[in-house]
Amino acid sequence: MHNKNYISVGIDVGSAFSFMTILAPDETVILKPFKITHNNKDSLERAVSEIKKAEELYSLESRIFLESTGIYHFPLFCYLVDCGFNASIINPIITHSTKNGNIRKVKNDKIDSKGIAKLGLSKDIPVSQFPAKLVLELRSLTRKYYDLTDERSAHINKLKGDLHTVFPQYLDVFCDVTGKTSTMILRQYGTPDKILRGHKKTMIEKYQKLHERSCQSF
């Protein structure tokens, strides 16, 4: 006997599109697997419309369950939350365990979306609520920061490797070869010969101007 007071929306998420199935509390199919194209506004709006129709038909609120799929469920999840729906994420380990109990082993997104909707009607199914959009943005910025830091480190290591090959003495002069003074010298005088041929007074003037600009920036 079913005593659920919500309709269950199961979404099997893919990279470019997803399939959505809507079930009544007694597992009656309200909407057969429906394809949602992520970059198509009309497709997204129709999905929202179908969920709202089901809510009106049964006079119940919906609960939406999306299988976690790396980064691919993020945009769709945020879109549905922005539309005011109650959405949750299901760990794929849970959905896979239910598939393994079936004879069918071949993945079928349409059938899988129905299975996710059924799971949504299960008692005490473990789900996770996605963090607020600000938290997501901070996480994204943090990941980007570390990506750029790694990229910077790779460039520094390459520069040090090149200097070790063509100008090994340079590494003993500057503890930070990417500092402002070092960078200025490398841009103006890229080889030992150019440094030796460079005018001492000109080099001092360039360094003084660079130092003055650095002081003004604070």
Side-chain angles (χ1 to χ4, degrees):
M1 182 175 180
H2 297 266
N3 55 0
K4 300 294 183 182
N5 59 348
Y6 60 88
I7 61 174
S8 180
V9 182
I11 301 181
D12 188 78
V13 183
S15 59
F17 59 86
S18 301
F19 277 97
M20 176 181 78
T21 299
I22 303 178
L23 299 182
D26 62 355
E27 298 189 7
T28 300
V29 176
I30 301 174
L31 177 71
K32 293 180 179 180
F34 167 75
K35 185 177 180 180
I36 306 172
T37 305
H38 298 167
N39 62 355
N40 186 303
K41 183 180 178 182
D42 292 338
S43 180
L44 291 168
E45 289 179 347
R46 185 183 167 193
V48 169
S49 176
E50 293 293 344
I51 296 172
K52 289 182 176 179
K53 283 181 185 177
E55 289 180 331
E56 293 174 1
L57 179 64
Y58 281 80
S59 298
L60 291 173
E61 292 187 354
S62 63
R63 289 188 62 187
I64 302 174
F65 301 90
L66 301 90
E67 183 181 48
S68 176
T69 53
I71 61 172
Y72 298 125
H73 65 276
F74 290 176
L76 184 58
F77 178 90
C78 292
Y79 177 80
L80 293 169
V81 170
D82 287 343
C83 289
F85 294 114
N86 179 344
S88 303
I89 306 298
I90 298 180
N91 191 308
I93 294 175
I94 298 172
T95 56
H96 290 170
S97 66
T98 60
K99 294 172 191 174
N100 290 336
N102 298 328
I103 296 176
R104 179 187 63 85
K105 298 295 183 180
V106 179
K107 179 172 174 57
N108 185 307
D109 295 335
K110 295 182 179 181
I111 298 176
D112 290 341
S113 65
K114 184 178 179 181
I116 294 170
K118 283 186 177 181
L119 274 175
L121 293 171
S122 302
K123 183 179 180 181
D124 299 327
I125 179 174
V127 296
S128 60
Q129 298 293 329
F130 216 56
K133 186 176 289 187
L134 178 60
V135 176
L136 284 176
E137 291 173 352
L138 289 173
R139 284 183 179 178
S140 178
L141 286 173
T142 301
R143 282 194 292 268
K144 187 64 177 178
Y145 168 79
Y146 283 112
D147 287 343
L148 291 173
T149 300
D150 291 342
E151 186 177 341
R152 179 178 182 273
S153 297
H155 284 297
I156 292 174
N157 290 334
K158 184 178 186 305
L159 175 61
K160 287 181 177 179
D162 292 341
L163 287 171
H164 185 76
T165 302
V166 300
F167 198 175
Q169 300 89 341
Y170 191 89
L171 298 173
D172 296 328
V173 178
F174 292 96
C175 60
D176 180 10
V177 295
T178 60
K180 291 184 178 180
T181 303
S182 173
T183 303
M184 181 270 291
I185 292 175
L186 289 174
R187 284 176 175 172
Q188 298 292 326
Y189 312 96
T191 65
D193 289 342
K194 288 184 179 180
I195 291 179
L196 292 174
R197 291 198 304 266
H199 198 284
K200 182 178 180 180
K201 183 178 179 181
T202 302
M203 292 181 69
I204 292 173
E205 288 176 352
K206 287 180 179 293
Y207 171 76
Q208 287 176 335
K209 288 181 181 179
L210 179 67
H211 182 69
E212 289 172 0
R213 287 198 296 269
S214 298
C215 292
Q216 292 172 357
S217 64
F218 287 101

